[in-house]
């Protein structure tokens, strides 16, 4: 990104509309969270939602408090994690097609979960969470080292991530072909779903994602400096190597935790940052928080649609994200509306 690009939208001119946009997005998040508690196989009136949340004697308590509240919290957290991690990767690699899968994070998590299931007999989401998180961390670290560590270029990172993803997926499919029980246990996780929210350790999941969000948002200003070029960034006192390590750490925590809890949900980290740039410009100080909030809004909205489209069953959120996100992204590209990075 050139200096001219950075200066084409003076922050002072756009700041009021950006702040107003944040209010709109936050209000929408509250509305969609309430709808998520109300809607499902059996709809609950808005007046009964509060009783379902707070009164154990309410007939709706088991559904609202036990099932829909954890699902809504997980959807908000995972959507924010995927949206922000996609924005971080696209800004760091200057690759408009980058998403958390670029560094092999999803693939690493899948390899660890399948290995734990097949070799150790791990069967619960609580037990697979640390394995998936560790797998994501190992994959991201391996990608960074293979690409050349401190000398890694955006292209080298993308190639190393693609190689790790291909190798990981081959391993996962091989194990699943060998063992039908593992295939049966993994099939819903691999699709990408929030169904497991009630059995997911939400406190740990939300805490990890909150830490990743905090780290990622702190990198906004250094990413703006890096966008001016590495030489300029060094002249401003920034270490590109330390910045990339910080980004890999943040993406590993965010995408790794979300993938461990929900499975590999695609297109959120890819599409949301592009949509956000249409409204807020190219300043990462706005792109990153907006991507987290809009990602959360998008994932919970899609999850609600999945519950309503196939009642009394449901369409998994990972399937709908692919169905909605794929054509929308192609539309953006074909209309040449993908904002410059």
């Amino acid at each position: 990104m050139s200096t001219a690009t950075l200066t084409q939208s003076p922050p002072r001119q756009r700041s009021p509309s950006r702040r107003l946009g944040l209010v709109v997005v936050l209000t929408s998040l509250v509305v969609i969270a309430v709808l998520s508690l109300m809607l499902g196989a059996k709809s609950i009136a808005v007046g009964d939602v509060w009783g379902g949340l707070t009164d154990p004697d309410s007939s709706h308590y088991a559904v609202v408090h036990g099932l829909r509240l954890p699902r809504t919290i997980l959807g908000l957290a995972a959507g924010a994690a995927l949206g922000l991690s996609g924005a971080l990767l696209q800004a760091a690699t200057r690759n408009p097609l980058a998403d958390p899968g670029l560094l092999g994070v999803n693939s690493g998590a899948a390899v660890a979960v399948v290995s734990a299931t097949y070799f150790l007999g791990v069967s619960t989401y609580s037990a697979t969470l640390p394995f998936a998180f560790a797998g994501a961390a190992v994959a991201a670290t391996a990608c960074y080292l293979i690409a050349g560590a401190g000398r890694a270029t955006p292209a080298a990172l993308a190639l190393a991530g693609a190689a790790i993803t291909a190798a990981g997926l081959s391993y996962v499919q091989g194990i699943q072909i060998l063992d039908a029980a593992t295939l049966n246990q993994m099939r819903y996780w691999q699709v990408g779903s929030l169904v497991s929210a009630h059995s997911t350790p939400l406190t740990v999941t939300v805490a990890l994602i909150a830490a990743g969000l905090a780290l990622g948002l702190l990198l906004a200003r250094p990413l703006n400096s890096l966008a001016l070029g590495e030489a300029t960034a060094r002249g401003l006192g920034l270490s590109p190597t330390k910045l990339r390590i910080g980004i890999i750490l943040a993406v590993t925590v965010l995408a790794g935790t979300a993938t461990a809890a929900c499975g590999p949900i695609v297109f959120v980290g890819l599409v949301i940052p592009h949509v956000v740039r249409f409204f807020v410009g190219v300043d990462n100080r706005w792109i990153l928080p907006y991507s987290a909030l809009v990602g959360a809004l998008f994932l919970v909205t899609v999850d609600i649609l999945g519950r309503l489209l196939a009642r009394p069953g449901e369409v998994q959120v990972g399937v709908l994200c692919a169905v909605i996100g794929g054509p929308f992204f192609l539309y953006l590209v074909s209309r040449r509306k993908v904002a410059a990075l």
Side-chain angles (χ1 to χ4, degrees):
M1 178 168 39
S2 66
T3 304
T5 304
L6 268 181
T7 57
Q8 66 184 4
S9 301
R12 289 184 180 179
Q13 294 179 7
R14 284 200 172 196
S15 291
S17 60
R18 287 165 171 166
R19 294 191 183 97
L20 178 61
L22 277 179
V23 174
V24 172
V25 173
L26 288 171
T27 303
S28 301
L29 274 175
V30 173
V31 172
I32 207 66
V34 174
L35 290 175
S36 180
L37 298 177
M38 293 172 54
L39 303 176
K42 181 180 179 182
S43 297
I44 298 173
V46 64
D48 296 326
V49 168
W50 180 251
L53 279 173
T54 59
D55 183 6
D57 295 327
S58 169
S59 59
H60 303 296
Y61 185 80
V63 173
V64 176
H65 191 275
L67 296 177
R68 294 183 185 173
L69 179 61
R71 185 170 183 152
T72 303
I73 293 173
L74 181 60
L76 292 171
L82 294 173
L84 179 58
S85 58
L88 285 170
L89 281 176
Q90 289 176 17
T93 64
R94 301 179 200 177
N95 183 345
L97 300 181
D99 74 351
L102 180 70
L103 297 182
V105 174
N106 292 349
S107 179
V111 166
V113 170
V114 167
S115 298
T117 303
Y118 182 66
F119 293 107
L120 303 178
V122 172
S123 59
T124 65
Y125 284 98
S126 300
T128 55
L129 179 61
F131 287 99
F133 183 71
V138 169
T141 304
C143 177
Y144 180 69
L145 294 176
I146 292 171
R151 296 174 284 103
T153 64
L157 283 169
L159 289 173
I164 290 173
T165 298
L169 291 178
S170 298
Y171 173 82
V172 169
Q173 291 174 354
I175 292 293
Q176 289 180 336
I177 289 173
L178 289 175
D179 185 57
T182 303
L183 172 63
N184 188 52
Q185 192 168 327
M186 292 289 299
R187 58 183 178 176
Y188 288 110
W189 183 85
Q190 273 200 306
V191 170
S193 172
L194 301 178
V195 172
S196 63
H198 64 282
S199 60
T200 298
L202 274 183
T203 302
V204 175
T205 301
V206 171
L208 287 170
I209 289 177
L213 289 173
L215 175 59
L217 294 175
L218 287 174
L219 300 175
R221 191 178 294 275
L223 276 172
N224 277 349
S225 300
L226 185 66
L228 299 173
E230 291 197 9
T232 303
R234 288 193 179 93
L236 294 172
L238 175 71
S239 169
T241 299
K242 291 181 180 178
L243 175 58
R244 290 198 175 98
I245 291 174
I247 291 169
I248 289 175
L249 179 60
V251 170
T252 297
V253 173
L254 290 169
T257 306
T259 302
C262 310
I265 297 175
V266 297
F267 283 112
V268 179
L270 185 64
V271 173
I272 294 301
H274 288 289
V275 175
V276 166
R277 286 190 195 93
F278 286 144
F279 297 99
V280 304
V282 297
D283 189 340
N284 285 300
R285 294 173 300 176
W286 291 97
I287 290 175
L288 298 189
Y290 260 100
S291 294
L293 293 173
V294 177
L297 182 64
F298 175 77
L299 194 62
V300 176
T301 302
V302 172
D303 183 49
I304 294 173
L305 287 176
R307 290 184 236 166
L308 298 179
L309 287 176
R311 287 199 289 185
E314 65 177 82
V315 181
Q316 303 304 319
V317 67
V319 175
L320 273 184
C321 280
V323 170
I324 297 173
F328 184 62
F329 184 71
L330 290 176
Y331 167 77
L332 293 176
V333 174
S334 65
R335 298 285 295 178
R336 299 179 182 276
K337 287 183 177 180
V338 179
L341 297 179

